[in-house]
């Protein structure tokens, strides 16, 4: 690796490819040694499982190898690595879209990752853009696409809306299966995804979802907030509980993507759901990775069949959406905090306490039972039943969050992720507003023509319609989701309290009325 | 104060009376300075309330006085005190039964106080006897009383039982009124007690209850566990909440005494409930204080109309009762601990948490309300209702322990007190068993005659019948109490859970079904 000046660094990735990388994108990863060893240990564990009988031999060889590798890495002082080879969730060593190459910001291409991509360039290490894509390229564009890629915006009952399909796309993520390659050295989980349109299942690994996510971010994130995938996880990836939870979250993510009229209709998303064989998948992948309508260019496809908005109206909408998404972000965070606390209370101290109440009644019953007093029986039986009832209540209380709070929390968590993407999308919008504000000055300075200024205003209006259509899509989904969610939560809560009341009534029935 | 030898000390109380006190009964009360000052402060406060306008003057005088008193006490190094003058709950300066005088154990007289008597001799400072009364005097008694004082024991369905009256005595403790004397310097609370037999109310202060308690302990505690009065309290005695709680507990204590066939029928108890005027009360008091049938002598009055039990049978019963009361003591303590924990949880973290849940829903509703999206109204209204419902639930949860757990705890607390008295009563029994075991040896040694031994065995049998009758009384009450209590608790718990379910159902009704 060497610094070639002007903020660019020539870097080599683990596959030997050399390219220019912006200096800002690079982090010195001394910590990688540890994670490298850690992954090496996983690999070693996989080996041991396969070859239990030869443990002694392999142990020596592999330990030796790993020590050599560590020493080798330590020798160079600090390690720069774009290596993904040891990460089972990552790609299989071929192209992931040129992370080793140059990442110029021309055309406002976005590279945005969630907290889940821990072993890539720092660009992708944190949610949000590292730099807000520059909307200038688009704002000055005169030609408006009228082809297949056209994204119309209509006036619906609620204001500007995307064109929604007649039948809403949906899919089922199911049947997680463990697969392996490299002679069993690498294991992974493959999910079956069945769209309602073809009813023909396709298989995808987590890394394919990740690839899709990256394509969607590149292509749409300037106009549409693309929620992150469920977090990547290094340990416990093959545990049943984890697989179940990840599948549930992938299902949630896919359903949200399916519900979006722009995303669900895109070539890359259709490819993901409908590819017929490996060849079609590989070709489609290559095509998607070469897509040039990415970043702010996506606005060129947007075609609002609505009267142009003046910049003041645009700014007013921007302010409102910005305020709303920030407030909602705080509100869902509060709900998550409270929900988390309640969950812990139910499965922790409350369960313990109801068990103790149950035990106290049962102990009292046991003691009474030793009295040798002839009229004891009814009371001791009733007290035992009461004690057992409270023990049952303890388990009901502890099991309840999984039955109701879980869904409220999962969807709210999803919204937290989605709301975390809005600031970036809104920032592009804000940058465009600021550019248009400068336009008058630029006309006076003869930097742009009056005609250019009018085009910029028209394009800003288009961007605003896109944002409005997107916010209306968001609102509509939000209302649908929270109406359904809280309703379900309350239904389950009612059942919960009624069940307890019923159980206590039954226990009460055992006492003699005096 | 001076030591006169042989374990006796000559002591002077605050009223100037001089008497002999067993050395063991005296504690060096250095801590009394603090409590003295404390009580002086209460007195000072009382003054201030009466004489708000002269605060300046009185403040100077009283502060000066109190400092003088403290210095005076400190000068003697440590303070021995039988002083009751500053304790408003205590007597008004006349006799309380000769605590300043000698306290010989002749005849097995018992002086037993609860944790409530903090300013008396150490004998009364802790529950339980300081020494187990010696049952020998009674065991060798030949004459059996057949007069008015006779306490017969019959065979009931459950075994040996006391003679129960046709109509059960009961009384209502009500209408606490503040009285004062010494020109308003001393205030006290007077309760009205109305027995169901005369329906004529009598008035008593706490100290009268305490006097009655002491008489009952002296007279009966060798045979019957006499539960302690509710704790004496120095501060906050005039606060409404405290008065209400004390009244409730005095009611509980009186009801328990009324329910006891031996206690309720005793002269001293009848005097307490039925005295017609001050003169009758004073005369009755004097007579009761001179009663000679106290301590183990009470067994002379007991007349079981049942076949004599041999010492082995007596011991077996003793073992059983001893074991039972100890086990139940542990069990009620567990119930109290668990109940206390649950109470704190309901009024503390649970209330807080439900309030937070309520707030989170309401905040979400407020945020949604700012969306300017036309289809928002139904959801925001429903979410607000949900939030308010959880806030109501918070208050219901916090208020519930007072509605149900309170009674379970109060009565269990009463039982804890009662069970705390059993070891003493049972110890007298055990001492008698041991004496009778020695009898054979004493006959051989010519210390007692064969005839004496037979009398001892007969008297032991009588003691055993008394214990059996008392245990059967205890069991019968215990079963009645716990059946009623837990039933009431469960009824209220059912209502509690049903109320919450109802409230949530109502909130649920506000959502749109989709």
């Amino acid at each position: 690796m060497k610094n070639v000046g002007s903020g660019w660094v020539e870097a080599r990735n683990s596959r030997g490819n050399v390219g220019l990388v912006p200096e800002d994108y690079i982090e010195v990863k001394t910590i990688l040694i540890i994670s490298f060893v850690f992954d090496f240990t996983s690999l070693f564990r996989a080996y041991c499982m396969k070859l239990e009988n030869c443990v002694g031999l392999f142990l020596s060889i592999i330990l030796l190898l790993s020590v050599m590798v560590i020493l080798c890495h330590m020798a160079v002082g600090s390690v720069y690595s774009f290596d993904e080879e040891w990460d089972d969730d990552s790609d299989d060593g071929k192209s992931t879209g040129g992370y080793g190459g140059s990442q110029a910001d021309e055309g406002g291409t976005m590279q945005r990752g969630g907290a889940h991509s821990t072993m890539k360039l720092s660009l992708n290490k944190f949610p949000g853009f590292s730099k807000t894509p520059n909307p200038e390229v688009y704002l000055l564009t005169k030609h408006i696409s009228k082809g297949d890629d056209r994204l119309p915006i209509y006036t619906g009952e609620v204001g500007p809306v995307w064109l929604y399909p007649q039948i809403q796309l949906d899919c089922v993520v199911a049947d997680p299966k463990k697969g392996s390659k490299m002679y069993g050295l690498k294991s992974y989980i493959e999910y079956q995804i069945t769209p309602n349109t073809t009813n023909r299942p396709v298989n995808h690994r987590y890394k394919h979802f990740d690839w899709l996510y990256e394509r969607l971010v590149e292509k749409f994130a300037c106009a549409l907030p693309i929620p992150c995938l469920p977090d990547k996880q290094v340990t416990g990836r093959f545990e049943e509980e984890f697989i179940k939870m990840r599948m549930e979250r992938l299902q949630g993510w896919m359903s949200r993507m399916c519900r979006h009229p722009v995303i669900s209709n895109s070539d890359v998303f259709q490819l993901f759901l409908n590819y017929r064989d490996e060849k079609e998948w590989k070709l489609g992948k290559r095509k998607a990775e070469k897509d040039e309508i990415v970043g702010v260019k996506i606005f060129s496809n947007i075609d609002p069949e609505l009267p142009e908005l003046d910049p003041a109206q645009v700014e007013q909408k921007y302010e409102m959406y910005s305020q709303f998404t920030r407030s909602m972000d705080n509100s869902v965070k509060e709900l998550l905090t409270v929900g988390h606390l309640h969950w812990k209370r139910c499965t922790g101290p409350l369960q313990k306490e109801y068990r103790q109440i149950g035990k106290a009644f049962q102990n009292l019953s046991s003691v009474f039972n030793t009295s040798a007093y002839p009229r004891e029986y009814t009371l001791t039986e009733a007290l035992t039943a009461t004690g057992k009832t409270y023990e049952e209540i303890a388990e009901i209380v502890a099991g309840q969050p999984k039955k109701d709070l879980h869904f409220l929390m999962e969807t709210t968590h999803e919204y937290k992720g989605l709301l975390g993407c809005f600031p970036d999308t809104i920032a592009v919008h804000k940058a465009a507003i600021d550019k248009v504000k400068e336009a008058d000055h630029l006309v006076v300075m003869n930097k742009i023509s009056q005609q250019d200024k009018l085009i910029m205003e028209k394009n800003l209006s288009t961007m605003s319609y896109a944002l409005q259509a997107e916010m209306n899509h968001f609102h509509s989904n939000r209302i649908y989701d929270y109406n359904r969610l809280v309703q379900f939560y309350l239904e389950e809560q009612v059942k919960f309290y009624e069940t307890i009341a019923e159980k206590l009534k039954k226990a009460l029935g055992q006492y003699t009325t005096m």
Side-chain angles (χ1 to χ4, degrees), chain A residues 167-171 194-200 270 273-274:
Chain A
I167 297 153
Q168 189 175 292
L169 181 62
D170 203 358
C171 69
T194 315
N196 60 347
T197 42
T198 62
N199 215 22
R200 204 185 59 239
Q270 290 288 330
L273 282 183
N274 299 330

Side-chain angles (χ1 to χ4, degrees), chain A residues 80-126:
Chain A
Y80 300 85
S81 174
F82 316 128
D83 196 320
E84 296 184 330
E85 192 131 14
W86 302 113
D87 183 352
D88 284 341
D89 276 339
S90 68
D91 212 340
D92 47 17
K94 292 168 196 155
S95 163
T96 53
Y99 283 127
S102 73
Q103 291 289 332
D105 207 1
E106 289 170 59
T109 301
M110 287 197 243
Q111 298 286 349
R112 181 176 53 180
H116 64 281
S117 45
T118 52
M119 298 191 75
K120 290 181 182 156
L121 285 171
S122 61
L123 172 63
N124 294 293
K125 247 192 131 173
F126 306 103

